[in-house]
């Protein structure tokens, strides 16, 4: 059996240090907003290349607090528009609509799976306040054109970095999470940098935004029993912070193994039913996932064939956000909304096993099965 991702095996790679970190927290008697959080926030900010990291409960909350902070600070208001890729995981859209903002969905490029920067400018209106890019599957989605558009129209650039810890924007050498005005990060267990439960963070160089986000995630309070905002309880606990601080030391090495797995897939998959997304230069993809596109309506059949031969796969994502029931009556989701590339991706995408614990021998088995299909 080759699982899609064995979290037990991933944790075991650094198990001794993780156990020591968890025991340290348990024995300390301090479980929230303590030294572990402060240490991880400092180390993660240094790694990403920003002045501030603010830990929170999960990646969705991280994005919610960014947009909410911009509203509280007067840069946005409910009804304003945010340009966002149409093929993202629904959490990106939820963070926008949670704040009463309007998502403006833009198609991806079919061969890259990330937002098509050539389609953005035509969607900008006088209500547009931000572009939210998503480094989907671990692939860089920022481009010089997107940065130019933000400058030209005075737009905030928000990064959804839930899937791309450690990815590099080649023109400047910056890590994702430090390119825009603010970024949301997820530490869901299956991520490249994953906790042993839920966790998230916001990174930014903006001190005013950082202070607002930290307050909003702590009931809206900057001082005990004094509430500047109507916030929520959304904090990263000490155990998760300690675990993440251990795993952060190995992130680049773990990503390097993912790249070796991806290299083998790219160089050896040979089946006319399968199309691989464009291969990016080194560093611009940290391969959180390895998506393939399966033609001729054969995606589900290939998934079942691999499962029958002991290989786990996952579809990311079978129903795009604009087709979800929760947005069926949304004003922005008009009957004329046409997103054929997004819908094609949803019908063809299949993610193959990849991660820091999978062996190249297992990858060889997977490729052999695919090529015989």
């Amino acid at each position: 059996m080759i699982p899609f991702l064995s979290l037990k095996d991933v944790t075991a790679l650094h198990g001794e240090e993780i156990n020591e970190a968890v025991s340290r927290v348990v024995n300390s008697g301090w479980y929230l907003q303590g030294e572990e959080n402060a240490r991880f926030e400092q180390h993660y900010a240094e790694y990403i290349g920003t002045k501030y990291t603010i830990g929170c409960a999960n990646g969705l909350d991280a994005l919610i607090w960014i947009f909410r902070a911009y509203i509280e600070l007067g840069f946005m208001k409910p009804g304003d528009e945010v340009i966002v890729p149409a093929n993202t995981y629904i959490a990106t859209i939820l963070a926008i609509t949670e704040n009463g903002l309007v998502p403006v969905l833009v198609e991806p490029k079919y061969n890259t799976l990330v937002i098509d920067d050539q389609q953005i400018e035509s969607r900008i209106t006088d209500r547009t306040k931000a572009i939210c890019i998503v480094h989907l599957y671990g692939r860089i989605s920022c481009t010089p054109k997107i940065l130019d558009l933000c400058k030209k129209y005075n737009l905030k650039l928000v990064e959804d970095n839930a899937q791309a810890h450690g990815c590099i924007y080649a023109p400047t050498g910056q890590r994702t999470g430090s390119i825009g005005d603010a970024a949301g990060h997820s530490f869901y267990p299956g991520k490249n940098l994953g906790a042993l439960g839920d966790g998230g963070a916001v990174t930014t160089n903006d001190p005013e935004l950082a202070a607002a986000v930290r307050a909003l995630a702590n009931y809206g309070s900057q001082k005990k029993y004094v509430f500047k905002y109507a916030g929520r309880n959304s904090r990263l606990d000490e155990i998760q912070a300690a675990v993440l601080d251990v795993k952060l030391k190995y992130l680049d090495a773990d990503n390097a193994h993912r790249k070796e797995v991806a290299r083998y897939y790219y160089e050896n998959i040979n089946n006319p039913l399968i199309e691989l997304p464009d291969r990016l230069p080194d560093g611009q993809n940290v391969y959180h996932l390895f998506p393939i596109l399966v033609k001729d309506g054969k995606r589900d059949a290939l998934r079942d064939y691999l499962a029958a031969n002991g290989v786990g796969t996952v579809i990311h994502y079978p129903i795009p956000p604009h087709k979800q029931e929760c947005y069926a009556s949304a004003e922005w989701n008009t009957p004329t909304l046409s997103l054929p590339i997004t819908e094609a991706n949803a019908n063809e995408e299949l993610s193959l096993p990849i991660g820091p614990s999978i062996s190249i021998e297992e990858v060889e088995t997977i490729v052999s099965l695919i090529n015989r299909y």
Side-chain angles (χ1 to χ4, degrees):
M1 297 296 295
I2 304 174
F4 177 70
L5 179 67
S6 170
L7 293 177
K8 181 179 179 180
D9 290 345
V10 171
T11 301
L13 292 174
H14 317 299
E16 184 175 342
E17 287 184 71
I18 288 171
N19 286 329
E20 290 174 358
V22 171
S23 295
R24 182 177 69 246
V25 176
V26 170
N27 294 330
S28 75
W30 193 290
Y31 308 126
L32 284 170
Q33 296 184 302
E35 293 181 1
E36 303 292 347
N37 261 267
R39 183 182 300 111
F40 171 67
E41 288 182 352
Q42 177 185 347
H43 290 165
Y44 195 62
E46 291 170 352
Y47 177 82
I48 294 296
T50 56
K51 293 180 181 177
Y52 306 101
T53 290
I54 306 97
C56 60
N58 53 67
L60 172 57
D61 277 7
L63 291 171
I64 288 173
W65 301 138
I66 290 170
F67 291 116
R68 173 71 181 281
Y70 279 131
I71 290 173
E72 294 287 358
L73 296 173
F75 187 82
M76 299 179 189
K77 63 182 183 303
D80 285 341
E81 295 174 347
V82 178
I83 289 174
V84 63
N87 65 322
T88 185
Y89 181 57
I90 198 171
T92 320
I93 313 296
L94 290 171
I96 295 167
T97 59
E98 172 79 8
N99 283 288
L101 301 168
V102 180
V104 176
L105 275 55
V106 173
E107 287 265 67
K109 290 182 179 178
Y110 181 80
N111 59 327
T112 69
L113 304 177
V114 297
I115 193 167
D116 185 349
D117 60 3
Q118 299 300 316
Q119 296 191 38
I120 293 175
E121 189 164 18
S122 65
R123 309 302 303 278
I124 295 173
T125 71
D126 57 4
R127 294 170 58 194
T128 307
K129 297 297 181 183
I131 299 174
C132 181
I133 56 174
V134 182
H135 306 298
L136 199 66
Y137 306 124
R139 302 172 66 89
I140 187 73
S141 65
C142 189
T143 66
K145 184 174 181 64
I146 290 174
L147 294 175
D148 289 344
L149 289 172
C150 288
K151 184 176 181 179
K152 179 178 178 179
Y153 293 98
N154 190 30
L155 306 177
K156 297 296 184 185
L157 180 61
V158 176
E159 297 175 75
D160 182 339
N161 198 46
Q163 299 187 7
H165 314 105
C167 189
I168 300 294
Y169 177 59
T172 62
Q174 292 172 274
R175 293 192 192 276
T176 53
S178 69
I179 306 164
D181 296 283
H185 307 251
S186 169
F187 304 127
Y188 182 78
K191 304 297 187 184
N192 291 41
L193 180 60
L196 299 186
D198 277 320
V202 172
T203 55
T204 184
N205 287 317
D206 183 339
E208 192 175 19
L209 181 75
V213 166
R214 191 174 295 280
L216 285 164
N218 186 37
Y219 300 100
S221 174
Q222 292 175 318
K223 181 180 179 182
K224 193 170 184 178
Y225 301 132
V226 178
F227 301 93
K228 184 174 183 178
Y229 310 111
R232 294 184 188 171
N233 175 11
S234 175
R235 298 175 297 203
L236 183 67
D237 71 62
E238 289 284 277
I239 287 178
Q240 303 307 338
V243 169
L244 289 166
D245 201 49
V246 169
K247 296 179 76 173
L248 179 60
K249 295 184 295 184
Y250 301 101
L251 177 57
D252 287 343
D254 289 347
N255 283 345
H257 182 73
R258 290 175 180 269
K259 293 171 187 176
E260 281 301 302
V261 172
R263 180 193 60 77
Y264 192 90
Y265 281 142
Y266 268 113
E267 294 178 0
N268 293 281
I269 289 177
N270 183 20
N271 186 314
L273 286 174
I274 293 170
E275 184 170 340
L276 302 181
D278 284 358
R279 188 175 181 180
L280 296 175
D282 188 51
Q284 297 177 53
N285 191 346
V286 291
Y287 297 101
H288 169 57
L289 301 170
F290 192 90
I292 63 175
L293 300 173
V294 187
K295 305 297 184 181
D296 299 340
K298 301 285 189 179
R299 190 264 311 276
D300 291 356
L302 175 59
R303 175 199 59 192
D304 295 344
Y305 159 79
L306 290 172
N309 284 277
V311 177
T313 59
V314 175
I315 298 170
H316 295 93
Y317 303 95
I319 306 174
H322 72 288
K323 293 292 187 180
Q324 296 289 350
E325 183 178 354
C326 62
Y327 287 131
S329 59
E331 290 186 9
W332 53 266
N333 196 3
T334 64
T336 59
L337 185 63
S338 177
L339 299 167
I341 297 176
T342 294
E343 292 170 21
N345 286 164
N347 291 326
E348 296 176 356
E349 194 277 344
L350 185 68
S351 295
L352 302 181
I354 195 167
S357 63
I358 191 171
S359 70
I360 295 300
E361 290 75 20
E362 288 173 317
V363 177
E364 291 172 352
T365 298
I366 295 167
V367 170
S368 178
L369 287 167
I370 289 173
N371 289 346
R372 292 203 306 267
Y373 178 70

